[in-house]
Amino acid sequence: MNNYQSLSVVVPNKKCINNCAFCVSKMHTEDYKNQMDGNLPFYDLYLNDYMKRLEYARDNGVNTVMLTGNSEPQQNRRFLMDFGMMMQLMERPFRNIEMQTTGWGLDRNYLRFLRNHVGVNTISLSVSSFFDDLNAEIIRFPDTGKGQFSLKNLCFLIKEYDFNLRLSLNLNKALVAPSEDFSEHIINVCKDHAADQVTFRYLYASGDNEQARWINENGMEPWQIQDIKRYIQNYPMLGVLPYGSIIYDVQGMSVVFDDDCMSKIVKEEQKYLILREDCKLYSKWDTKASLVF
């Protein structure tokens, strides 16, 4: 049996509503045909293939699903509806279902749907700045404007529906406060936003493109990244994730520094499986050669 940490489920969408300045998916152009479309011929065949991949992941010890992809998962409510039905049909469904999102478009009704039907337990919010206007400018929300998105209000709404809240912080200069204790400031702001978990995400740059250039120009300085690492290392260790990252107990929050978000480091134990919209499993985000089956 292989040991995988989690299964990343790519929620099919033609185009993301956002246009993140650092978007990883725009750094590689491999396309995967969407077979998870109920209007296509032989949909029942591909649905069966999809269920086989879900069961394979469960058979190999995976109990955590991350709903993610090259777009906002909440854009495709029909797929999420179907996914919730799949969990009800599986003999051994996944117990821990997470969703990665910037949070755009999530309101009370959608959160209730995610909690009650899809079975989402944890919402991981991708954050580039704690200043709403600057966060919106970097993520490039549709029709960005002042007052259209409040990160703190969304965090409190997520907690109101009793989700676990993880803040996934994209390590760029917009997170750094003009303070000598900026690492402590970041942690305090996360706590102020009612976070249960915090992940510091190193931004991945590849090739010569708009997104890679933005990261090279706006990514945190190496000394700032090291300062954050040193700060969290002063707190008690809670454990080690299968791919090597250490979990720290920082002011009652579970904190991890992830410098391998693309699973580029080759290890005996794979970090995660990826279930694409073509109904096949992969082990890497940026190459079809990582096909599992």
Side-chain angles (χ1 to χ4, degrees):
M1 179 183 289
N2 294 311
N3 290 316
Y4 299 98
Q5 181 198 354
S6 65
L7 170 67
S8 292
V9 168
V10 176
V11 178
N13 281 305
K14 291 183 179 180
K15 185 179 179 181
C16 185
I17 56 174
N18 301 324
N19 184 24
C20 297
F22 52 83
C23 181
V24 173
S25 64
K26 292 182 180 178
M27 297 183 205
H28 51 87
T29 57
E30 288 182 304
D31 293 323
Y32 299 81
K33 186 175 181 180
N34 179 20
Q35 303 288 10
M36 291 302 293
D37 184 343
N39 295 318
L40 294 177
F42 308 114
Y43 174 69
D44 56 337
L45 172 65
Y46 286 106
L47 180 60
N48 186 51
D49 286 346
Y50 202 86
M51 293 291 293
K52 284 181 181 178
R53 270 63 176 189
L54 290 173
E55 290 163 354
Y56 174 88
R58 283 295 277 126
D59 290 344
N60 280 274
V62 176
N63 200 25
T64 298
V65 168
M66 173 64 81
L67 298 169
T68 182
N70 301 328
S71 61
E72 292 289 296
Q74 63 267 29
Q75 288 179 238
N76 194 339
R77 186 174 178 130
R78 171 60 191 270
F79 174 85
L80 295 177
M81 177 73 74
D82 291 344
F83 184 82
M85 294 298 296
M86 291 180 210
M87 293 301 98
Q88 296 178 39
L89 291 172
M90 286 183 70
E91 183 178 346
R92 296 173 59 240
F94 296 91
R95 305 302 182 187
N96 186 23
I97 301 175
E98 305 181 352
M99 191 172 89
Q100 179 72 48
T101 175
T102 64
W104 184 257
L106 293 182
D107 56 17
R108 288 183 178 275
N109 289 334
Y110 214 123
L111 288 173
R112 188 180 297 111
F113 162 72
L114 292 173
R115 185 90 160 87
N116 296 349
H117 178 78
V118 187
V120 173
N121 313 110
T122 299
I123 293 183
S124 179
L125 291 180
S126 178
V127 179
S128 296
S129 174
F130 288 109
F131 294 100
D132 289 334
D133 287 349
L134 189 51
N135 188 48
E137 181 181 326
I138 296 170
I139 295 174
R140 299 170 183 167
F141 290 130
D143 301 322
T144 297
K146 291 184 178 181
Q148 290 197 27
F149 181 83
S150 169
L151 176 65
K152 195 167 188 177
N153 287 348
L154 178 59
C155 288
F156 288 165
L157 191 59
I158 288 169
K159 293 299 297 180
E160 182 180 327
Y161 281 88
D162 207 24
F163 291 95
N164 301 322
L165 173 62
R166 179 185 305 126
L167 297 183
S168 295
L169 307 181
N170 303 307
L171 294 179
N172 73 102
K173 295 173 183 175
L175 282 174
V176 180
S179 167
E180 293 182 2
D181 301 322
F182 71 88
S183 296
E184 182 178 17
H185 176 78
I186 291 173
I187 291 295
N188 288 338
V189 174
C190 289
K191 194 168 183 64
D192 191 47
H193 281 64
D196 299 294
Q197 302 171 334
V198 178
T199 298
F200 290 95
R201 297 171 62 194
Y202 181 82
L203 292 178
Y204 174 80
S206 176
D208 182 18
N209 50 65
E210 178 185 347
Q211 292 74 32
R213 288 191 293 272
W214 189 93
I215 291 172
N216 291 330
E217 293 173 6
N218 296 279
M220 271 193 187
E221 300 292 343
W223 70 267
Q224 294 171 327
I225 292 173
Q226 290 304 315
D227 189 272
I228 292 173
K229 286 184 175 180
R230 283 193 297 269
Y231 179 82
I232 64 177
Q233 287 168 359
N234 288 324
Y235 286 86
M237 286 179 52
L238 290 175
V240 181
L241 294 174
Y243 61 93
S245 291
I246 300 173
I247 311 170
Y248 294 92
D249 178 352
V250 182
Q251 298 186 31
M253 298 180 295
S254 170
V255 178
V256 172
F257 192 99
D258 183 7
D259 54 2
D260 186 29
C261 65
M262 288 290 290
S263 194
K264 301 294 289 181
I265 300 173
V266 178
K267 297 181 180 179
E268 183 176 350
E269 290 187 350
Q270 297 288 339
K271 186 174 179 181
Y272 44 61
L273 289 167
I274 302 161
L275 181 52
R276 292 276 189 179
E277 57 269 52
D278 63 355
C279 303
K280 295 183 180 180
L281 283 171
Y282 300 85
S283 63
K284 302 288 181 183
W285 282 102
D286 56 352
T287 173
K288 288 184 177 179
S290 68
L291 176 69
V292 176
F293 93 99

mmCIF file of all heavy atoms in Angstrom, residues 115-149:
data_model
loop_
_atom_site.group_PDB
_atom_site.id
_atom_site.type_symbol
_atom_site.label_atom_id
_atom_site.label_comp_id
_atom_site.label_asym_id
_atom_site.label_seq_id
_atom_site.Cartn_x
_atom_site.Cartn_y
_atom_site.Cartn_z
ATOM 1 N N ARG A 115 -21.602 22.692 3.906
ATOM 2 C CA ARG A 115 -21.564 21.987 5.198
ATOM 3 C C ARG A 115 -22.524 20.803 5.215
ATOM 4 O O ARG A 115 -22.160 19.697 5.616
ATOM 5 C CB ARG A 115 -21.958 22.974 6.312
ATOM 6 C CG ARG A 115 -21.860 22.424 7.714
ATOM 7 C CD ARG A 115 -20.502 22.672 8.310
ATOM 8 N NE ARG A 115 -20.532 22.590 9.755
ATOM 9 C CZ ARG A 115 -20.383 21.471 10.454
ATOM 10 N NH1 ARG A 115 -20.216 20.320 9.832
ATOM 11 N NH2 ARG A 115 -20.401 21.492 11.771
ATOM 12 N N ASN A 116 -23.757 21.029 4.750
ATOM 13 C CA ASN A 116 -24.802 20.023 4.899
ATOM 14 C C ASN A 116 -24.801 18.967 3.804
ATOM 15 O O ASN A 116 -25.034 17.785 4.078
ATOM 16 C CB ASN A 116 -26.182 20.691 4.946
ATOM 17 C CG ASN A 116 -26.340 21.592 6.159
ATOM 18 O OD1 ASN A 116 -25.520 21.580 7.068
ATOM 19 N ND2 ASN A 116 -27.388 22.389 6.160
ATOM 20 N N HIS A 117 -24.567 19.377 2.553
ATOM 21 C CA HIS A 117 -24.658 18.403 1.456
ATOM 22 C C HIS A 117 -23.296 17.880 1.011
ATOM 23 O O HIS A 117 -23.111 16.664 0.895
ATOM 24 C CB HIS A 117 -25.376 19.016 0.249
ATOM 25 C CG HIS A 117 -25.437 18.062 -0.916
ATOM 26 N ND1 HIS A 117 -26.348 17.022 -0.967
ATOM 27 C CD2 HIS A 117 -24.686 17.966 -2.057
ATOM 28 C CE1 HIS A 117 -26.161 16.342 -2.084
ATOM 29 N NE2 HIS A 117 -25.160 16.888 -2.760
ATOM 30 N N VAL A 118 -22.355 18.758 0.768
ATOM 31 C CA VAL A 118 -21.040 18.325 0.264
ATOM 32 C C VAL A 118 -20.227 17.662 1.374
ATOM 33 O O VAL A 118 -19.407 16.791 1.122
ATOM 34 C CB VAL A 118 -20.269 19.516 -0.345
ATOM 35 C CG1 VAL A 118 -18.979 19.030 -1.015
ATOM 36 C CG2 VAL A 118 -21.129 20.254 -1.363
ATOM 37 N N GLY A 119 -20.466 18.076 2.613
ATOM 38 C CA GLY A 119 -19.748 17.486 3.738
ATOM 39 C C GLY A 119 -18.416 18.130 4.025
ATOM 40 O O GLY A 119 -17.541 17.511 4.646
ATOM 41 N N VAL A 120 -18.238 19.370 3.587
ATOM 42 C CA VAL A 120 -16.967 20.074 3.821
ATOM 43 C C VAL A 120 -16.793 20.325 5.316
ATOM 44 O O VAL A 120 -17.711 20.796 5.990
ATOM 45 C CB VAL A 120 -16.924 21.405 3.037
ATOM 46 C CG1 VAL A 120 -15.683 22.206 3.405
ATOM 47 C CG2 VAL A 120 -16.967 21.138 1.539
ATOM 48 N N ASN A 121 -15.610 19.996 5.825
ATOM 49 C CA ASN A 121 -15.288 20.222 7.236
ATOM 50 C C ASN A 121 -14.402 21.446 7.441
ATOM 51 O O ASN A 121 -14.523 22.143 8.444
ATOM 52 C CB ASN A 121 -14.565 19.008 7.824
ATOM 53 C CG ASN A 121 -15.233 17.697 7.492
ATOM 54 O OD1 ASN A 121 -14.708 16.904 6.721
ATOM 55 N ND2 ASN A 121 -16.409 17.455 8.058
ATOM 56 N N THR A 122 -13.475 21.652 6.489
ATOM 57 C CA THR A 122 -12.471 22.717 6.614
ATOM 58 C C THR A 122 -12.487 23.593 5.382
ATOM 59 O O THR A 122 -12.487 23.090 4.247
ATOM 60 C CB THR A 122 -11.063 22.130 6.799
ATOM 61 O OG1 THR A 122 -11.019 21.340 7.994
ATOM 62 C CG2 THR A 122 -10.010 23.225 6.881
ATOM 63 N N ILE A 123 -12.491 24.906 5.588
ATOM 64 C CA ILE A 123 -12.336 25.849 4.482
ATOM 65 C C ILE A 123 -10.981 26.521 4.627
ATOM 66 O O ILE A 123 -10.675 27.105 5.674
ATOM 67 C CB ILE A 123 -13.467 26.886 4.453
ATOM 68 C CG1 ILE A 123 -14.791 26.181 4.115
ATOM 69 C CG2 ILE A 123 -13.166 27.992 3.438
ATOM 70 C CD1 ILE A 123 -15.977 27.097 3.974
ATOM 71 N N SER A 124 -10.180 26.386 3.582
ATOM 72 C CA SER A 124 -8.841 26.975 3.552
ATOM 73 C C SER A 124 -8.879 28.209 2.664
ATOM 74 O O SER A 124 -9.058 28.103 1.447
ATOM 75 C CB SER A 124 -7.832 25.954 3.011
ATOM 76 O OG SER A 124 -6.543 26.506 2.944
ATOM 77 N N LEU A 125 -8.743 29.373 3.282
ATOM 78 C CA LEU A 125 -8.814 30.630 2.534
ATOM 79 C C LEU A 125 -7.428 31.064 2.084
ATOM 80 O O LEU A 125 -6.506 31.193 2.893
ATOM 81 C CB LEU A 125 -9.426 31.732 3.402
ATOM 82 C CG LEU A 125 -10.913 31.617 3.745
ATOM 83 C CD1 LEU A 125 -11.344 32.799 4.617
ATOM 84 C CD2 LEU A 125 -11.762 31.555 2.479
ATOM 85 N N SER A 126 -7.285 31.279 0.793
ATOM 86 C CA SER A 126 -6.031 31.777 0.233
ATOM 87 C C SER A 126 -5.982 33.292 0.427
ATOM 88 O O SER A 126 -6.833 34.019 -0.082
ATOM 89 C CB SER A 126 -5.946 31.429 -1.256
ATOM 90 O OG SER A 126 -4.762 31.932 -1.825
ATOM 91 N N VAL A 127 -4.973 33.758 1.169
ATOM 92 C CA VAL A 127 -4.880 35.172 1.550
ATOM 93 C C VAL A 127 -3.551 35.746 1.094
ATOM 94 O O VAL A 127 -2.493 35.166 1.341
ATOM 95 C CB VAL A 127 -5.012 35.338 3.085
ATOM 96 C CG1 VAL A 127 -4.891 36.800 3.479
ATOM 97 C CG2 VAL A 127 -6.324 34.741 3.581
ATOM 98 N N SER A 128 -3.608 36.891 0.421
ATOM 99 C CA SER A 128 -2.384 37.559 -0.034
ATOM 100 C C SER A 128 -2.097 38.822 0.753
ATOM 101 O O SER A 128 -0.980 39.322 0.746
ATOM 102 C CB SER A 128 -2.488 37.889 -1.525
ATOM 103 O OG SER A 128 -2.584 36.699 -2.282
ATOM 104 N N SER A 129 -3.122 39.374 1.403
ATOM 105 C CA SER A 129 -2.951 40.543 2.259
ATOM 106 C C SER A 129 -4.140 40.606 3.208
ATOM 107 O O SER A 129 -5.248 40.177 2.859
ATOM 108 C CB SER A 129 -2.873 41.826 1.440
ATOM 109 O OG SER A 129 -2.844 42.967 2.285
ATOM 110 N N PHE A 130 -3.915 41.147 4.405
ATOM 111 C CA PHE A 130 -5.015 41.327 5.349
ATOM 112 C C PHE A 130 -5.726 42.656 5.123
ATOM 113 O O PHE A 130 -6.716 42.947 5.794
ATOM 114 C CB PHE A 130 -4.506 41.222 6.777
ATOM 115 C CG PHE A 130 -4.128 39.815 7.163
ATOM 116 C CD1 PHE A 130 -2.798 39.458 7.344
ATOM 117 C CD2 PHE A 130 -5.100 38.846 7.324
ATOM 118 C CE1 PHE A 130 -2.449 38.166 7.690
ATOM 119 C CE2 PHE A 130 -4.772 37.544 7.668
ATOM 120 C CZ PHE A 130 -3.439 37.210 7.855
ATOM 121 N N PHE A 131 -5.245 43.451 4.193
ATOM 122 C CA PHE A 131 -5.947 44.656 3.760
ATOM 123 C C PHE A 131 -6.822 44.266 2.573
ATOM 124 O O PHE A 131 -6.312 43.843 1.528
ATOM 125 C CB PHE A 131 -4.961 45.756 3.375
ATOM 126 C CG PHE A 131 -4.145 46.267 4.532
ATOM 127 C CD1 PHE A 131 -2.839 45.831 4.723
ATOM 128 C CD2 PHE A 131 -4.682 47.167 5.442
ATOM 129 C CE1 PHE A 131 -2.077 46.294 5.787
ATOM 130 C CE2 PHE A 131 -3.929 47.638 6.516
ATOM 131 C CZ PHE A 131 -2.636 47.201 6.685
ATOM 132 N N ASP A 132 -8.143 44.402 2.715
ATOM 133 C CA ASP A 132 -9.070 43.880 1.716
ATOM 134 C C ASP A 132 -8.817 44.421 0.312
ATOM 135 O O ASP A 132 -8.850 43.674 -0.667
ATOM 136 C CB ASP A 132 -10.513 44.168 2.130
ATOM 137 C CG ASP A 132 -10.959 43.316 3.311
ATOM 138 O OD1 ASP A 132 -10.396 42.219 3.491
ATOM 139 O OD2 ASP A 132 -11.863 43.754 4.047
ATOM 140 N N ASP A 133 -8.582 45.726 0.193
ATOM 141 C CA ASP A 133 -8.360 46.305 -1.132
ATOM 142 C C ASP A 133 -7.098 45.750 -1.786
ATOM 143 O O ASP A 133 -7.075 45.457 -2.984
ATOM 144 C CB ASP A 133 -8.265 47.836 -1.037
ATOM 145 C CG ASP A 133 -9.625 48.475 -0.787
ATOM 146 O OD1 ASP A 133 -10.647 47.751 -0.896
ATOM 147 O OD2 ASP A 133 -9.671 49.680 -0.480
ATOM 148 N N LEU A 134 -6.035 45.587 -0.990
ATOM 149 C CA LEU A 134 -4.782 45.067 -1.523
ATOM 150 C C LEU A 134 -4.909 43.578 -1.851
ATOM 151 O O LEU A 134 -4.395 43.107 -2.878
ATOM 152 C CB LEU A 134 -3.654 45.302 -0.517
ATOM 153 C CG LEU A 134 -2.216 45.021 -0.988
ATOM 154 C CD1 LEU A 134 -1.922 45.720 -2.307
ATOM 155 C CD2 LEU A 134 -1.221 45.457 0.084
ATOM 156 N N ASN A 135 -5.624 42.844 -1.001
ATOM 157 C CA ASN A 135 -5.876 41.429 -1.266
ATOM 158 C C ASN A 135 -6.651 41.267 -2.581
ATOM 159 O O ASN A 135 -6.321 40.423 -3.420
ATOM 160 C CB ASN A 135 -6.670 40.826 -0.109
ATOM 161 C CG ASN A 135 -6.808 39.320 -0.192
ATOM 162 O OD1 ASN A 135 -5.828 38.597 -0.409
ATOM 163 N ND2 ASN A 135 -8.020 38.826 -0.014
ATOM 164 N N ALA A 136 -7.659 42.105 -2.763
ATOM 165 C CA ALA A 136 -8.461 42.068 -3.990
ATOM 166 C C ALA A 136 -7.634 42.457 -5.210
ATOM 167 O O ALA A 136 -7.811 41.905 -6.298
ATOM 168 C CB ALA A 136 -9.668 42.996 -3.854
ATOM 169 N N GLU A 137 -6.722 43.397 -5.029
ATOM 170 C CA GLU A 137 -5.871 43.846 -6.143
ATOM 171 C C GLU A 137 -4.942 42.728 -6.611
ATOM 172 O O GLU A 137 -4.703 42.572 -7.809
ATOM 173 C CB GLU A 137 -5.043 45.044 -5.688
ATOM 174 C CG GLU A 137 -4.128 45.616 -6.760
ATOM 175 C CD GLU A 137 -3.312 46.786 -6.258
ATOM 176 O OE1 GLU A 137 -3.829 47.556 -5.413
ATOM 177 O OE2 GLU A 137 -2.153 46.929 -6.688
ATOM 178 N N ILE A 138 -4.430 41.926 -5.682
ATOM 179 C CA ILE A 138 -3.517 40.838 -6.032
ATOM 180 C C ILE A 138 -4.272 39.645 -6.602
ATOM 181 O O ILE A 138 -3.873 39.051 -7.603
ATOM 182 C CB ILE A 138 -2.698 40.414 -4.797
ATOM 183 C CG1 ILE A 138 -1.800 41.558 -4.344
ATOM 184 C CG2 ILE A 138 -1.852 39.172 -5.106
ATOM 185 C CD1 ILE A 138 -1.131 41.320 -2.997
ATOM 186 N N ILE A 139 -5.394 39.301 -5.969
ATOM 187 C CA ILE A 139 -6.191 38.169 -6.444
ATOM 188 C C ILE A 139 -6.976 38.536 -7.700
ATOM 189 O O ILE A 139 -7.291 37.681 -8.520
ATOM 190 C CB ILE A 139 -7.139 37.683 -5.332
ATOM 191 C CG1 ILE A 139 -6.316 37.115 -4.166
ATOM 192 C CG2 ILE A 139 -8.113 36.624 -5.834
ATOM 193 C CD1 ILE A 139 -7.120 36.733 -2.964
ATOM 194 N N ARG A 140 -7.241 39.817 -7.858
ATOM 195 C CA ARG A 140 -7.978 40.324 -9.030
ATOM 196 C C ARG A 140 -9.348 39.674 -9.117
ATOM 197 O O ARG A 140 -9.705 39.011 -10.098
ATOM 198 C CB ARG A 140 -7.185 40.086 -10.313
ATOM 199 C CG ARG A 140 -5.830 40.793 -10.339
ATOM 200 C CD ARG A 140 -4.987 40.345 -11.512
ATOM 201 N NE ARG A 140 -3.662 40.952 -11.503
ATOM 202 C CZ ARG A 140 -2.647 40.544 -12.277
ATOM 203 N NH1 ARG A 140 -2.831 39.547 -13.124
ATOM 204 N NH2 ARG A 140 -1.479 41.126 -12.220
ATOM 205 N N PHE A 141 -10.114 39.898 -8.062
ATOM 206 C CA PHE A 141 -11.496 39.440 -8.047
ATOM 207 C C PHE A 141 -12.262 40.045 -9.219
ATOM 208 O O PHE A 141 -11.903 41.117 -9.722
ATOM 209 C CB PHE A 141 -12.192 39.889 -6.752
ATOM 210 C CG PHE A 141 -11.717 39.192 -5.508
ATOM 211 C CD1 PHE A 141 -11.352 39.916 -4.389
ATOM 212 C CD2 PHE A 141 -11.664 37.815 -5.442
ATOM 213 C CE1 PHE A 141 -10.940 39.285 -3.223
ATOM 214 C CE2 PHE A 141 -11.254 37.164 -4.291
ATOM 215 C CZ PHE A 141 -10.895 37.899 -3.181
ATOM 216 N N PRO A 142 -13.334 39.407 -9.669
ATOM 217 C CA PRO A 142 -14.161 40.028 -10.716
ATOM 218 C C PRO A 142 -14.798 41.311 -10.191
ATOM 219 O O PRO A 142 -15.277 41.361 -9.052
ATOM 220 C CB PRO A 142 -15.214 38.957 -11.005
ATOM 221 C CG PRO A 142 -15.254 38.110 -9.781
ATOM 222 C CD PRO A 142 -13.850 38.104 -9.238
ATOM 223 N N ASP A 143 -14.778 42.344 -11.010
ATOM 224 C CA ASP A 143 -15.382 43.632 -10.634
ATOM 225 C C ASP A 143 -14.853 44.130 -9.297
ATOM 226 O O ASP A 143 -15.605 44.539 -8.403
ATOM 227 C CB ASP A 143 -16.912 43.526 -10.566
ATOM 228 C CG ASP A 143 -17.503 43.104 -11.890
ATOM 229 O OD1 ASP A 143 -16.989 43.559 -12.932
ATOM 230 O OD2 ASP A 143 -18.444 42.302 -11.889
ATOM 231 N N THR A 144 -13.528 44.068 -9.144
ATOM 232 C CA THR A 144 -12.912 44.477 -7.891
ATOM 233 C C THR A 144 -13.234 45.929 -7.575
ATOM 234 O O THR A 144 -13.138 46.806 -8.426
ATOM 235 C CB THR A 144 -11.383 44.307 -7.965
ATOM 236 O OG1 THR A 144 -11.105 42.917 -8.139
ATOM 237 C CG2 THR A 144 -10.711 44.781 -6.700
ATOM 238 N N GLY A 145 -13.599 46.164 -6.349
ATOM 239 C CA GLY A 145 -13.866 47.524 -5.911
ATOM 240 C C GLY A 145 -13.880 47.586 -4.405
ATOM 241 O O GLY A 145 -13.982 46.570 -3.724
ATOM 242 N N LYS A 146 -13.766 48.749 -3.854
ATOM 243 C CA LYS A 146 -13.751 48.905 -2.402
ATOM 244 C C LYS A 146 -15.066 48.419 -1.800
ATOM 245 O O LYS A 146 -16.141 48.665 -2.334
ATOM 246 C CB LYS A 146 -13.515 50.367 -2.039
ATOM 247 C CG LYS A 146 -12.117 50.870 -2.364
ATOM 248 C CD LYS A 146 -11.927 52.293 -1.886
ATOM 249 C CE LYS A 146 -10.507 52.776 -2.179
ATOM 250 N NZ LYS A 146 -10.291 54.160 -1.706
ATOM 251 N N GLY A 147 -14.946 47.722 -0.685
ATOM 252 C CA GLY A 147 -16.120 47.278 0.051
ATOM 253 C C GLY A 147 -16.794 46.038 -0.488
ATOM 254 O O GLY A 147 -17.809 45.611 0.043
ATOM 255 N N GLN A 148 -16.241 45.426 -1.559
ATOM 256 C CA GLN A 148 -16.899 44.265 -2.147
ATOM 257 C C GLN A 148 -16.553 42.961 -1.440
ATOM 258 O O GLN A 148 -17.255 41.978 -1.586
ATOM 259 C CB GLN A 148 -16.549 44.151 -3.633
ATOM 260 C CG GLN A 148 -17.176 45.225 -4.488
ATOM 261 C CD GLN A 148 -17.164 44.869 -5.955
ATOM 262 O OE1 GLN A 148 -17.158 43.707 -6.315
ATOM 263 N NE2 GLN A 148 -17.151 45.870 -6.815
ATOM 264 N N PHE A 149 -15.463 42.938 -0.710
ATOM 265 C CA PHE A 149 -15.040 41.691 -0.079
ATOM 266 C C PHE A 149 -14.404 42.007 1.266
ATOM 267 O O PHE A 149 -13.467 42.799 1.345
ATOM 268 C CB PHE A 149 -14.042 40.951 -0.973
ATOM 269 C CG PHE A 149 -13.586 39.636 -0.403
ATOM 270 C CD1 PHE A 149 -14.342 38.494 -0.570
ATOM 271 C CD2 PHE A 149 -12.387 39.542 0.289
ATOM 272 C CE1 PHE A 149 -13.925 37.275 -0.048
ATOM 273 C CE2 PHE A 149 -11.956 38.332 0.817
ATOM 274 C CZ PHE A 149 -12.730 37.200 0.646
#
